[in-house]
Amino acid sequence: MNSLEKKLSKLSSFKINKIDSSNFISSLRNRQRIESLRKKRFQSGIRGLAFVTLISFITSLQLDDTNYHYDNFNIVSYYQDFDNEIFNINDILVEVDEIDFGLFLIEETVDIGISELIYYNSFLIEDVEG
Amino acid sequence: MLSDNELIEKFQNGDDKAFNKLIQNNLNNVFGFFMKITRDEMAAEDLAQDVFMKLYKNLKKFRHDSNFSTYLYRINTNTANSWITRNKWKNLLHLDQAPDRGEYDQVNEAEWERKELWESISKLPKKQRKVVILRLTNSLSFREISNITGMKEGTAKVNFHHALKKLKEDLIDE
């Protein structure tokens, strides 16, 4: 041992009081209890998380695998075609009942004269009466 | 009175009370080891508790390949090493709060020197620090140090020599 080592050793040496072992052991056991509780709490948290993950996974597996998709289509008014002269009103008249046509004109607030209205109405009455 | 090895065997066979006796047999050594480093009863008791907690967790795996005292020294040294590293950062963060050396009277001179010494030790590389801790606090021989740390006796000597050189430079600078 050289002088520096002796000096350093001297700095580290001093009288040490004895420690009460029973107090030490009881506080150590207490600490162990707290740590084991903390560990159990952590483990139950992990188990809970795993359970939730498993249930979510199973649920997602049970879902229908159809690919739902929504088509984008042009919402063009059916009646717009009349305006654009794609449909001719006369062609339609061949297909539809006159009463329906009357109702169509009324619904569409086509500007019609009162005499025409009465005319169309007569069909309605006939239809109701049989 | 049962020996440490007999107590360990009893503990390994499920006798939890044997561990209490093992603590009683070794407590003062462990506490003394940390008191020499910390000079603080609370800190030394906390560190001793850390050691026995680690021991409790790992003692079931102890295979008597080495002496129990060597095994315990190894845990002590590693715990002390971690404490010194932790404390180094704490000291760095509280540098502005450290009292000026001029405020100290002669009674506190030794205490100041001791603090300076441990601050310098904390700056040493881990291997050198381990050797210094064992040599200074327990005056162990290099053979015993080599058993505890797992390094060769010559390596331990070289590490200690380098550590002393650094400590000397560091303490003279301050």
Side-chain angles (χ1 to χ4, degrees), chain B residues 112-150:
Chain B
W112 183 264
E113 277 185 349
R114 196 194 66 81
K115 274 187 180 175
E116 275 183 344
L117 168 68
W118 283 101
E119 268 177 36
S120 303
I121 290 173
S122 73
K123 291 174 198 161
L124 294 174
K126 209 172 173 181
K127 271 187 182 177
Q128 291 180 13
R129 206 192 300 160
K130 274 187 183 179
V131 180
V132 166
I133 290 170
L134 290 168
R135 185 87 176 153
L136 294 186
T137 56
N138 289 68
S139 308
L140 296 182
S141 69
F142 287 110
R143 178 165 291 181
E144 286 167 314
I145 292 172
S146 90
N147 281 337
I148 293 163
T149 56

Side-chain angles (χ1 to χ4, degrees), chain A residues 111-123:
Chain A
D111 192 16
I112 50 173
I114 191 76
S115 57
E116 286 165 293
L117 206 60
I118 291 165
Y119 169 75
Y120 289 124
N121 195 35
S122 67
F123 290 109

Side-chain angles (χ1 to χ4, degrees), chain A residues 105 108-113 116:
Chain A
L105 292 174
E108 294 304 310
T109 64
V110 174
D111 192 16
I112 50 173
E116 286 165 293

Side-chain angles (χ1 to χ4, degrees), chain B residues 3-19:
Chain B
S3 72
D4 283 348
N5 283 335
E6 286 167 327
L7 288 169
I8 291 165
E9 271 177 32
K10 278 185 105 183
F11 175 72
Q12 286 176 331
N13 291 326
D15 183 359
D16 208 47
K17 282 181 183 167
F19 189 74

Side-chain angles (χ1 to χ4, degrees), chain B residues 20-171:
Chain B
N20 289 356
K21 287 192 179 137
L22 196 68
I23 294 175
Q24 283 170 341
N25 287 355
N26 294 283
L27 180 59
N28 283 314
N29 279 341
V30 175
F31 179 70
F33 179 86
F34 291 115
M35 269 303 283
K36 281 175 188 169
I37 299 170
T38 62
R39 288 259 179 137
D40 176 355
E41 281 192 18
M42 292 277 275
E45 197 178 326
D46 276 351
L47 291 170
Q49 280 203 1
D50 286 348
V51 167
F52 285 109
M53 290 282 282
K54 283 178 195 167
L55 196 63
Y56 188 84
K57 280 178 196 162
N58 298 302
L59 203 58
K60 291 241 158 102
K61 290 179 243 164
F62 183 68
R63 293 280 163 257
H64 302 273
D65 293 334
S66 59
N67 277 335
F68 175 67
S69 60
T70 309
Y71 183 67
L72 193 58
Y73 263 128
R74 209 172 288 158
I75 302 176
N76 280 353
T77 319
N78 289 336
T79 310
N81 224 340
S82 312
W83 181 83
I84 289 167
T85 313
R86 241 183 4 245
N87 233 34
K88 179 170 79 176
W89 291 108
K90 220 187 272 177
N91 286 341
L92 277 174
L93 292 170
H94 294 94
L95 267 181
D96 53 332
Q97 291 172 19
D100 185 11
R101 191 176 178 160
E103 290 173 17
Y104 278 79
D105 54 27
Q106 272 215 311
V107 182
N108 286 321
E109 188 69 23
E111 181 62 14
W112 183 264
E113 277 185 349
R114 196 194 66 81
K115 274 187 180 175
E116 275 183 344
L117 168 68
W118 283 101
E119 268 177 36
S120 303
I121 290 173
S122 73
K123 291 174 198 161
L124 294 174
K126 209 172 173 181
K127 271 187 182 177
Q128 291 180 13
R129 206 192 300 160
K130 274 187 183 179
V131 180
V132 166
I133 290 170
L134 290 168
R135 185 87 176 153
L136 294 186
T137 56
N138 289 68
S139 308
L140 296 182
S141 69
F142 287 110
R143 178 165 291 181
E144 286 167 314
I145 292 172
S146 90
N147 281 337
I148 293 163
T149 56
M151 60 178 84
K152 285 179 185 166
E153 203 179 321
T155 315
K157 274 182 190 171
V158 170
N159 271 308
F160 187 68
H161 173 75
H162 285 301
L164 275 191
K165 208 174 158 191
K166 279 184 194 164
L167 286 177
K168 197 175 176 181
E169 284 167 6
D170 208 20
L171 292 171

